[in-house]
Amino acid sequence: MSAPYTPAAPPTFPPASTAPSQPPPTEAVAQAPLQSYYRTLPPAQQPFPNAVPLFSSTGPTQPQAPPPVSPQSFPQAPPVSQPPFSTAQVPPGPTQLYGGPLPSTQSSFSRPPLPTSQPSAFPAGPPPTSTPSQLPGVMQPQPPVSQPSPYHSGPPPTSTGFPPQVGAPPRPRLAGMQGPPMASQGPPMTSQGPPMASQGPPMTSQGPPMASQGPPMAQANHIHPTQPGMPPGPINASLSGSPPQPGMQGYPPQQNGEHQCWNASPRYIRCTAYNMPCNSDMAKQSQVPLAAVIKPLAPLPLDETPPYLLDHGESGPIRCNRCKAYMCPYMQFIEGGRRFQCGFCSCVTEVPPHYFQHLDHTGKRVDCYDRPELSMGSYEFTATVDYCKNNKFPQPPAFIFLIDVSYNAVKNGMVGIVCQELKTLLDYLPRENPDVESNIRVGFITYNKVLHFYNVKASLAQPQMMVVSDVADMFVPLLDGFLVSVSESRVVIESLLDQIPEMFADTRETETVFGPVIQAGLEALKAADCAGKLFVFHSSLPIAEAPGKLKNREDKKLVGTDKEKSLFQPQVSFYNTLAKECVAQGCCVDLFLFPNQYVDVATLGVVPTSTGGSIYKYTYFQAPSDQERFLNDLRRDVQKQVGFDAVMRVRTSTGIRATDFFGSFYMSNTTDVELAGLDCDKTVTVEFRHDDKLSEETGALMQCAVLYTSCSGQRRLRIHNMAVNCCSQLADLYRNCETDTIINFFAKYAYRSVLSSPTKNVRDSLMNQCAQILACYRKNCASPSSAGQLILPECMKLLPVYLNCMLKSDVLQPGADVSLDNRAYLRQLVSTMDVAESHVFFYPRLLPLQKLDVESMTLPVAVRDSEERLSRGGVYLLENGLNIFLWVGVNAQQELLQNIFGTPAFSQIDPSMTSLPALDNPFSKRLMEIIKSVRAQRSRYMKLMVVKQEDKLELIFKHFLVEDKSNNGGASYVDFLCHMHKEIRQLLS
C-alpha cells in the first residue's frame, strides 16, 4: 500500500526474514572462466525429454546446502511416449564468449528440463544509507529494498519452492545451484537497520504478483524474475518459517500441475505493467504506459536450456486460420482434439491429421508435456520454404570487413590493430555446431577516396587488389574470389592482412567516402545472393566528392533552441534510402568509429540503426589506452549470436493491439518490424493501446514471432508468449507496475521525441506524465491524508529518482562540454538497451572498496550516487555500463593504496593508467575478479579510469553522481522531489 512520508512517522524496515542477511556473491554471473578471448562453442544439447544441463561451478558461489524441496511440489507429468526433438544451441552469453569449453549436458530426468534463474550478482538499485534528508513538508521517499505488495491473488508463496523456468513444469533443484538474490531486491538488509525513511533511494521496484487462479488462460501468468533488475517472485515473511536462501525467492506450490508457467522468461519479455487496465478510459486516467521490452535472442546463462528447436515437417508450424498466431499453450483443443480455438482471436481451426492427439479428462492433449509449443513460453520452429524469399532456402550469410585506410586511421594505429586481430578472430566466426567449422564466408575492402577490393581465392599465391575509383556508380569488380571460406583461403587472407598496414603506411590521403563503402558491401551480398553483415571501421567526416558526402554542421548555438532537433536528424536523405535497400537484402551494418573531430554520428548512424546493427565510438583513439576496449568489443561483436534477414511481428488478443515500436529496425508497414540483423543484445520495445474492452476472466495475451536466418543458413521461427492479468481497479494496476521497465520505455520515447520537438518540451512532457501517474494514484488509491505529504505507490517509489536521472542525461540536458556526436551516439545506443542496461546507465552503481571483505565472495553494499556519500579516506568503484571509474580519496589509507596500486603514496598514483597492476595480495586479486565480473555482465567492454580526488578528471566522475545538482542546471534529487510534489498538488487541486 502507499505509505505517507512525514518526518514524524517514518516507515520501518520490513522484517529481516524477507531478505538474506548477507550481501550477494559476486561471481555468480561469470559462468565460464575467462581464460582466453575466444569461446569454444557448446556441445549439442540432448533431445527434449532428457536434456538437463550441468550447472557451471566455475564462478565462486557461497557454499550452502540447497533448501529442502518437498516432493509434493513437483507433480509428475502423465507418462506419454515422446518423440525426440532437436534443440537449438546455447546462445553465447556475455561471459561465455571468451570462456573455455562449456560443460556438456547430462540426462537424468524424463521431463523437459527447467532453466534456473541466475540473476546478476549485484544489487540493481542504489543502496540504503543512514542519513535522512529533511525537507519542509516533504519527507524524501527512501525507496525500500523491494518487497512485493501484500495483495497477491495467487496461492500463498512459500520459501522452500524454487521458481521454475517460465514455460515449463517444475523440477527439483540440483545441489550446487546456489544463486544470488534477485538484483531487483536491492542490497540485503539486516534486522538492526535504521528506519526506512532514512534509507537512500533507489532499490528497483518489485515485480508483478502472481496470477489469479482463473480459467486456464489466466493461470499462465506467473512471472519469474531472472535478470538484473527483474521483478522478484513474491516473498511473504509471515508465511515463511526461515529467511529464503539467496536466489530462492518464494514460489507458490504447484497444485497437481494445474498452474503451468506458459510465459516467456523475463530475459525475453519485460512488461511495464503485469495487470492491464480493462478499458482505454482507465489507461488514459492512470497515464501508465502499457508496453513490453522484447529481447528475442537474449543470451542465457549456461544452466538454462535454450528454446527447443522443433521441426513440423513440410507443412510447417500449425497456425490459427484467421489471425495466423502460432501454436502455443493458449490454444484450446475442442471436439476431442480434432479442432482448436485460438486464444488470440477465438477462431476455430481444424487440427491437421498428423498433429491430432486425444484429450485427457481435463481437456488437455495427452502429449501436452511432450510438445514444447504446448507447454513452454519460448520455442523455435524450423521454417519451410514458404517462409523464404522467392520460395528458396537462403545461402549461409557472409561477413565483409571494410577498413578505412586514410591518414588518420593509419596514424592512430587502428588499421594495424584491426588487421592483426582479424587473423585470429576469423577462426571464431559464429557457428551452431562446435565440431563443424563456420560456413560464414568473408570478404575484405579497404577505402579512402577510392575503394580497393581484394581477390583472396585459395588458388592464388598472393592476394590481388582491384581499385574502383568511380565511386558515383558503385559496382563489385569481381565475384569469384571476393567472398571465400576462411579455411580454404587461410594463407592468402593472412598474407593480405599482413600487407594492408604496409601498403598504406605512408599514405597522405585525408579525405574519405562513406556512402559508396556501404553500397559496395551491399552489392557484394546481392551478387552472392545472401544476407550478411558489414563491419565498417571509419575515422572521419566523409567530405570527398561522392554520394552521401557530408559537411560539418556542428553548431553549439542551436542547443536549447527550437532548431536543436535538426542536429539529431540526418542532414541528407541518401542514407535513409540506402538503409532501406540494405534491409531488403538482409545486409546489417556495424559501425566502429574512431573520430578526432565531428563526424556527424546522427547521419552516419542511420544505416546501422535502421538495419539492426550497432555503433561503437572511440573518440581520440590511442592504441595504448583504447586498444583493449576496442578489441574486446570487436571480438564480442563478431562472435555473438545473430539472426539475419529477420522479420518480427507481435500479435495480441482481442482488445489491445501493438501501436508503436522503438529500437534499431526498419518498418515498411504498420505491423512488421524488419531487421537485416538481430543480435542477442538488441531489444524491440512495443507500446500497446486498447481498441476494445478486455476481460478480467481471460486476461490479455501477446505472442512475439521472429522469422530469421541462423548463422548456418537455416530459416527459423522463434516464438515468445506472454499472458498478463487484466484489472478494473486502478489499485491493481499500480500494484503491478515495474518501474525499471517504465523508465526504459520513457527513455526510448523521449530520445525519439527529440527528433521532432525541442528538448525542453520533451522534458516538460515527461515530468507532466509522471506527475499525472502519481496524482491519479494519490486521488484514487491512497488513503486520505494531509496535502503536505508526498504519497507514492509502493511499486513506484523510485520513479522520481530515476526520472530525474533521465532528464539530466546528456541527450536531454547536455553540459557545455558534451559534443553533438556524443549526444547522437547515446540517443542511438539507448534505443536498443534492455531493462538491466538502462537501469545502470541512468543510475550508476557505486561500490565502497574500503569495505571490501577479501575473505567472502560478497560485494560491499553499494552507496547512493551523491558526493556527500564519498569519504575522503575511501576508494570507490563506479560503473554505468559504458565506463568504470576508480575514485581515490585524498586521505585513503596507505595500506589500501599499497594493495591496489603498489604504492602507499596518493601522489604517486598515475591517473592515466587504464588497468590496475596485478599484485600478489588478496585485495588486488579480489578487486580484479570484481572488475572482470562487472565487465562480463555488460554488452560493451568498459574502460577503467582512475580518478584522484581534486584532480581535473573528477569533474567527469561527478557527472555520474546523479543525485546531486548537475553543472548544466539539472536538479538534485531532493529539489526534484519537491518540484514533483508541487506538480502533483496542482493537479489534485
Side-chain angles (χ1 to χ4, degrees):
M1 274 299 280
S2 56
Y5 294 97
T6 62
T12 56
F13 255 121
S17 61
T18 59
S21 57
Q22 66 271 52
T26 56
E27 288 286 310
V29 254
Q31 286 93 354
L34 283 85
Q35 296 156 350
S36 70
Y37 284 113
Y38 301 107
R39 64 186 161 100
T40 306
L41 278 129
Q45 300 288 327
Q46 296 296 324
F48 180 57
N50 308 324
V52 177
L54 281 177
F55 301 99
S56 161
S57 56
T58 49
T61 51
Q62 286 176 299
Q64 279 180 341
V69 176
S70 100
Q72 290 84 357
S73 302
F74 303 100
Q76 294 303 310
V80 230
S81 64
Q82 188 163 354
F85 294 108
S86 74
T87 65
Q89 294 299 319
V90 180
T95 55
Q96 189 177 321
L97 287 173
Y98 311 122
L102 306 185
S104 59
T105 55
Q106 68 177 9
S107 307
S108 59
F109 293 92
S110 60
R111 294 261 312 275
L114 304 184
T116 60
S117 308
Q118 288 281 20
S120 151
F122 299 106
T129 57
S130 52
T131 19
S133 302
Q134 298 299 337
L135 273 162
V138 179
M139 192 62 190
Q140 187 176 342
Q142 314 300 342
V145 171
S146 279
Q147 52 176 353
S149 119
Y151 300 88
H152 292 303
S153 52
T158 74
S159 64
T160 54
F162 156 63
Q165 142 74 350
V166 179
R171 171 183 73 185
R173 186 153 188 156
L174 298 188
M177 273 177 52
Q178 182 59 50
M182 291 299 168
S184 50
Q185 277 178 253
M189 306 169 299
T190 60
S191 51
Q192 294 83 21
M196 186 58 80
S198 60
Q199 292 311 311
M203 305 299 149
T204 58
S205 56
Q206 84 212 29
M210 294 306 185
S212 61
Q213 303 178 45
M217 226 169 274
Q219 287 168 3
N221 200 25
H222 303 304
I223 314 296
H224 297 308
T226 49
Q227 184 172 310
M230 285 197 172
I235 304 167
N236 192 322
S238 63
L239 293 167
S240 55
S242 58
Q245 302 292 337
M248 302 290 291
Q249 311 314 337
Y251 183 72
Q254 300 290 315
Q255 298 167 4
N256 303 323
E258 279 180 332
H259 295 276
Q260 287 312 326
C261 306
W262 296 333
N263 278 348
S265 155
R267 294 190 194 285
Y268 297 123
I269 303 182
R270 299 280 296 272
C271 296
T272 53
Y274 289 88
N275 227 336
M276 212 166 253
C278 280
N279 55 62
S280 57
D281 293 343
M282 187 174 155
K284 212 172 283 178
Q285 184 185 0
S286 73
Q287 286 288 310
V288 173
L290 304 177
V293 180
I294 304 174
K295 195 174 182 181
L297 301 184
L300 300 176
L302 303 186
D303 58 0
E304 291 190 20
T305 310
Y308 289 100
L309 180 60
L310 319 172
D311 191 340
H312 279 194
E314 289 180 16
S315 56
I318 315 293
R319 306 177 70 175
C320 166
N321 272 348
R322 185 196 292 159
C323 72
K324 302 298 180 192
Y326 292 90
M327 181 54 68
C328 67
Y330 311 125
M331 304 298 191
Q332 190 163 3
F333 288 86
I334 55 176
E335 296 179 25
R338 287 186 290 277
R339 296 177 171 209
F340 69 88
Q341 183 171 22
C342 177
F344 295 86
C345 69
S346 302
C347 173
V348 174
T349 303
E350 293 276 341
V351 173
H354 73 271
Y355 197 72
F356 172 78
Q357 185 54 274
H358 295 287
L359 308 184
D360 66 12
H361 65 285
T362 65
K364 279 185 186 168
R365 284 173 59 121
V366 295
D367 65 349
C368 173
Y369 296 118
D370 294 346
R371 292 193 175 273
E373 75 274 23
L374 300 180
S375 57
M376 304 189 88
S378 301
Y379 40 87
E380 290 197 320
F381 295 112
T382 51
T384 59
V385 74
D386 306 335
Y387 290 86
C388 304
K389 274 186 189 166
N390 309 322
N391 278 1
K392 64 175 188 178
F393 285 112
Q395 300 284 333
F399 282 3
I400 302 177
F401 298 91
L402 305 106
I403 306 167
D404 175 352
V405 288
S406 63
Y407 176 76
N408 280 342
V410 173
K411 190 177 169 211
N412 67 19
M414 180 270 279
V415 174
I417 291 169
V418 170
C419 292
Q420 186 60 37
E421 180 63 24
L422 287 180
K423 289 196 288 188
T424 315
L425 194 50
L426 292 177
D427 285 330
Y428 296 88
L429 298 175
R431 71 197 78 189
E432 283 170 78
N433 184 341
D435 304 322
V436 178
E437 67 183 53
S438 174
N439 51 7
I440 291 178
R441 291 171 296 162
V442 297
F444 302 89
I445 295 173
T446 56
Y447 67 93
N448 37 48
K449 263 171 42 175
V450 297
L451 278 79
H452 323 104
F453 291 77
Y454 296 93
N455 183 346
V456 283
K457 200 172 172 181
S459 56
L460 295 175
Q462 281 292 325
Q464 295 173 345
M465 177 202 276
M466 298 187 184
V467 180
V468 176
S469 51
D470 181 8
V471 289
D473 183 19
M474 186 44 63
F475 67 98
V476 180
L478 75 159
L479 294 181
D480 186 30
F482 179 66
L483 289 178
V484 296
S485 154
V486 175
S487 57
E488 289 172 15
S489 299
R490 155 76 58 196
V491 176
V492 192
I493 290 173
E494 292 206 347
S495 171
L496 169 67
L497 293 171
D498 285 335
Q499 290 177 41
I500 287 174
E502 294 169 16
M503 275 193 286
F504 298 99
D506 301 323
T507 184
R508 285 285 168 265
E509 186 55 75
T510 55
E511 292 189 359
T512 59
V513 295
F514 186 73
V517 176
I518 293 178
Q519 284 175 326
L522 172 61
E523 292 302 322
L525 293 177
K526 277 185 184 171
D529 191 23
C530 68
K533 189 187 265 199
L534 310 183
F535 296 84
V536 184
F537 305 92
H538 188 79
S539 68
S540 56
L541 190 70
I543 54 172
E545 272 312 318
K549 174 185 175 181
L550 301 178
K551 61 179 191 290
N552 189 331
R553 56 168 182 162
E554 187 174 32
D555 187 354
K556 285 285 180 77
K557 290 197 287 293
L558 297 182
V559 175
T561 69
D562 285 355
K563 289 185 179 174
E564 182 179 14
K565 60 191 177 197
S566 67
L567 302 173
F568 291 109
Q569 297 163 352
Q571 61 170 286
V572 291
S573 61
F574 169 83
Y575 291 101
N576 299 72
T577 312
L578 182 55
K580 187 176 171 181
E581 291 174 27
C582 286
V583 172
Q585 182 57 38
C587 168
C588 175
V589 178
D590 279 358
L591 177 57
F592 292 81
L593 285 171
F594 304 84
N596 286 345
Q597 52 196 13
Y598 179 74
V599 290
D600 200 349
V601 175
T603 304
L604 298 188
V606 167
V607 179
T609 52
S610 302
T611 58
S614 305
I615 304 173
Y616 299 85
K617 184 164 163 282
Y618 310 92
T619 312
Y620 303 117
F621 179 81
Q622 292 177 310
S625 58
D626 297 303
Q627 176 173 345
E628 184 183 12
R629 179 165 68 111
F630 163 55
L631 289 182
N632 276 281
D633 285 343
L634 175 60
R635 287 162 187 155
R636 190 173 190 282
D637 196 55
V638 169
Q639 296 179 69
K640 65 187 174 187
Q641 185 197 17
V642 61
F644 296 94
D645 213 357
V647 181
M648 172 177 145
R649 182 176 283 194
V650 177
R651 293 178 173 85
T652 55
S653 52
T654 311
I656 54 166
R657 61 193 171 90
T659 56
D660 209 349
F661 300 84
F662 303 82
S664 287
F665 51 76
Y666 177 78
M667 291 186 80
S668 54
N669 57 36
T670 57
T671 53
D672 293 335
V673 173
E674 298 171 49
L675 303 114
L678 171 64
D679 66 50
C680 59
D681 296 326
K682 295 290 185 299
T683 65
V684 176
T685 300
V686 187
E687 186 178 16
F688 301 101
R689 294 260 161 89
H690 288 77
D691 53 11
D692 203 349
K693 285 190 174 172
L694 293 166
S695 142
E696 285 190 81
E697 282 69 49
T698 54
L701 306 178
M702 62 187 87
Q703 183 181 76
C704 165
V706 182
L707 175 66
Y708 71 95
T709 302
S710 72
C711 59
S712 62
Q714 188 181 35
R715 205 74 176 136
R716 291 182 182 173
L717 272 158
R718 180 169 282 209
I719 312 293
H720 297 299
N721 301 299
M722 174 66 92
V724 294
N725 283 347
C726 295
C727 58
S728 54
Q729 300 295 320
L730 279 166
D732 290 332
L733 168 64
Y734 280 101
R735 264 181 222 122
N736 296 283
C737 291
E738 212 207 319
T739 299
D740 290 275
T741 313
I742 290 173
I743 286 294
N744 181 285
F745 172 80
F746 276 162
K748 290 170 183 177
Y749 186 84
Y751 281 20
R752 188 177 69 182
S753 301
V754 297
L755 293 171
S756 52
S757 307
T759 49
K760 183 183 184 307
N761 297 9
V762 175
R763 286 200 306 272
D764 290 347
S765 72
L766 274 176
M767 279 193 279
N768 183 40
Q769 185 170 356
C770 183
Q772 285 184 321
I773 290 172
L774 299 175
C776 173
Y777 173 81
R778 173 73 186 254
K779 182 179 175 184
N780 299 289
C781 309
S783 45
S785 56
S786 99
Q789 291 177 325
L790 174 61
I791 296 185
L792 303 174
E794 188 67 35
C795 279
M796 293 189 182
K797 281 185 174 173
L798 310 184
L799 191 61
V801 75
Y802 290 147
L803 182 73
N804 187 36
C805 296
M806 191 173 84
L807 295 174
K808 290 196 291 188
S809 66
D810 287 336
V811 174
L812 296 180
Q813 195 162 34
D817 56 339
V818 180
S819 69
L820 298 178
D821 272 348
N822 221 37
R823 295 178 70 194
Y825 167 66
L826 292 174
R827 193 189 76 76
Q828 291 163 343
L829 189 65
V830 169
S831 71
T832 60
M833 273 187 182
D834 70 11
V835 176
E837 286 191 307
S838 63
H839 177 93
V840 78
F841 176 77
F842 289 115
Y843 197 105
R845 181 164 49 171
L846 184 61
L847 302 172
L849 296 181
Q850 65 274 17
K851 296 183 179 173
L852 181 63
D853 180 0
V854 294
E855 296 301 317
S856 92
M857 285 291 104
T858 59
L859 277 179
V861 173
V863 296
R864 289 169 57 179
D865 289 347
S866 172
E867 192 175 356
E868 65 184 43
R869 309 285 163 176
L870 301 178
S871 147
R872 292 171 71 84
V875 177
Y876 296 80
L877 186 139
L878 181 143
E879 63 109 358
N880 71 340
L882 297 180
N883 298 289
I884 294 181
F885 294 94
L886 200 65
W887 184 88
V888 187
V890 71
N891 297 335
Q893 303 159 5
Q894 291 187 351
E895 185 188 3
L896 193 60
L897 298 183
Q898 183 72 51
N899 284 340
I900 298 174
F901 302 103
T903 171
F906 177 81
S907 59
Q908 288 175 5
I909 297 168
D910 176 10
S912 65
M913 65 169 72
T914 55
S915 59
L916 297 176
L919 304 174
D920 189 16
N921 68 70
F923 194 97
S924 174
K925 289 173 183 171
R926 184 76 191 95
L927 181 54
M928 295 288 206
E929 280 171 20
I930 290 172
I931 291 172
K932 184 187 278 188
S933 169
V934 168
R935 281 173 172 158
Q937 290 173 60
R938 307 291 170 222
S939 62
R940 300 194 173 217
Y941 189 85
M942 297 185 286
K943 178 180 170 182
L944 178 75
M945 295 172 72
V946 175
V947 179
K948 294 166 73 174
Q949 187 177 5
E950 296 167 9
D951 202 9
K952 58 180 185 235
L953 268 179
E954 199 180 23
L955 272 177
I956 300 173
F957 175 78
K958 284 181 178 175
H959 179 65
F960 297 101
L961 299 177
V962 288
E963 284 196 32
D964 298 340
K965 186 174 178 177
S966 64
N967 291 337
N968 42 343
S972 70
Y973 176 37
V974 174
D975 293 343
F976 184 73
L977 216 48
C978 291
H979 177 72
M980 285 307 294
H981 189 208
K982 198 168 107 188
E983 294 281 311
I984 292 166
R985 286 172 69 172
Q986 277 179 350
L987 286 171
L988 290 173
S989 61

